[in-house]
Amino acid sequence: MSNVIAIDGPAASGKSTAARLLAERLNIAYVNTGSLYRAVALAARRAGQEMGALSPEFLNTLKLEYVPDQNGRYELELDGSFPGAELRSAETASGASLVATQPAVRDYLLGVQRSFAGEKLIVMEGRDIGTVIFPDARYKFFITATPEERARRRLAQSGEVTDGATLAEVAKAIAERDRQDSERRIAPLKPAPDAELIDTTGFAVGEVVDYIVKKVQAGTEEK
């Protein structure tokens, strides 16, 4: 059994914030796997690569690591530097959706993601952590929310949407991302059979984190 707290869910469900705060509460490492796909898309754009057809040769030139930043928090480093705001741009997010459908990219990142697990407990967040990356994770949660709630959250995130975007436009984009993620042939978005479903609509993120912490602590005491 892998020492991983797997947190999956669709876009703008609140899983990233919950996962990050959970890691801070438990004083363990946090890995945002969505950032890995964004980093691949960003690297491809920088190199002038065709987003829809990345080769294993190109992917193997990349260096992706989670390292402590100046504040001691683990941040994704791409080829020796922190990508910062570029990683959170709408353009990079769109590119991530394209590269995530490619078997070569998923195969490459499968090894990268599994390399982060070790003897210490970690929080890993994405869309297929509990189903594909770590089906043997010690703890599995699938976080979601209503489409309207998710659209409001995405609008509130700086840099995640284009300037002037409306709630309806953001909700439509999220619905399309859900369709792509759930219908893709490789690693479709879905809860693991043994994952606990958490609907965060109407709940503060602190309440969600409190709930997961209690579940993890209770599970630890039982082992």
Side-chain angles (χ1 to χ4, degrees):
M1 182 172 290
S2 299
N3 284 326
V4 174
I5 302 173
I7 298 184
D8 292 309
S13 61
K15 67 182 185 299
S16 296
T17 303
R20 176 175 54 80
L21 294 176
L22 174 65
E24 290 178 3
R25 285 274 298 274
L26 297 176
N27 194 29
I28 58 178
Y30 159 54
V31 177
N32 180 332
T33 59
S35 293
L36 295 174
Y37 288 95
R38 291 186 178 219
V40 170
L42 177 59
R45 179 164 60 82
R46 287 175 173 176
Q49 295 284 319
E50 171 56 50
M51 289 281 190
L54 298 181
S55 68
E57 289 75 21
F58 168 72
L59 295 169
N60 288 330
T61 67
L62 305 181
K63 184 179 180 182
L64 298 172
E65 293 182 297
Y66 272 91
V67 299
D69 63 11
Q70 59 184 3
N71 298 314
R73 294 179 179 175
Y74 281 83
E75 294 289 342
L76 178 61
E77 190 178 75
L78 169 62
D79 294 333
S81 64
F82 296 114
E86 276 192 283
L87 206 64
R88 297 184 291 276
S89 71
E91 184 179 15
T92 301
S94 178
S97 295
L98 290 175
V99 303
T101 63
Q102 299 172 51
V105 174
R106 303 199 73 86
D107 286 346
Y108 166 71
L109 288 181
L110 177 63
V112 172
Q113 291 168 89
R114 286 181 173 169
S115 72
F116 296 141
E119 294 183 2
K120 295 182 178 180
L121 191 66
I122 65 170
V123 176
M124 189 170 290
E125 169 258 312
R127 286 174 172 76
D128 60 355
I129 308 306
T131 55
V132 176
I133 310 302
F134 288 105
D136 63 341
R138 286 179 64 180
Y139 307 97
K140 298 180 184 180
F141 301 93
F142 191 90
I143 294 181
T144 188
T146 64
E148 295 79 9
E149 177 70 14
R150 291 161 58 203
R152 283 192 290 270
R153 291 173 180 173
R154 179 51 54 88
L155 272 174
Q157 294 174 324
S158 175
E160 289 287 346
V161 297
T162 55
D163 292 339
T166 66
L167 183 66
E169 290 169 342
V170 175
K172 182 178 179 181
I174 286 176
E176 175 60 19
R177 177 65 184 273
D178 286 351
R179 185 193 65 78
Q180 292 176 354
D181 287 345
S182 60
E183 293 180 1
R184 68 191 181 204
R185 183 175 60 85
I186 300 173
L189 172 68
K190 62 180 181 179
D194 53 345
E196 181 166 354
L197 183 66
I198 303 177
D199 189 331
T200 64
T201 305
F203 287 90
V205 65
E207 295 177 291
V208 176
V209 174
D210 286 344
Y211 179 80
I212 298 177
V213 166
K214 289 179 181 178
K215 286 287 185 175
V216 171
Q217 290 177 338
T220 302
E221 291 171 359
E222 292 175 359
K223 298 184 185 301

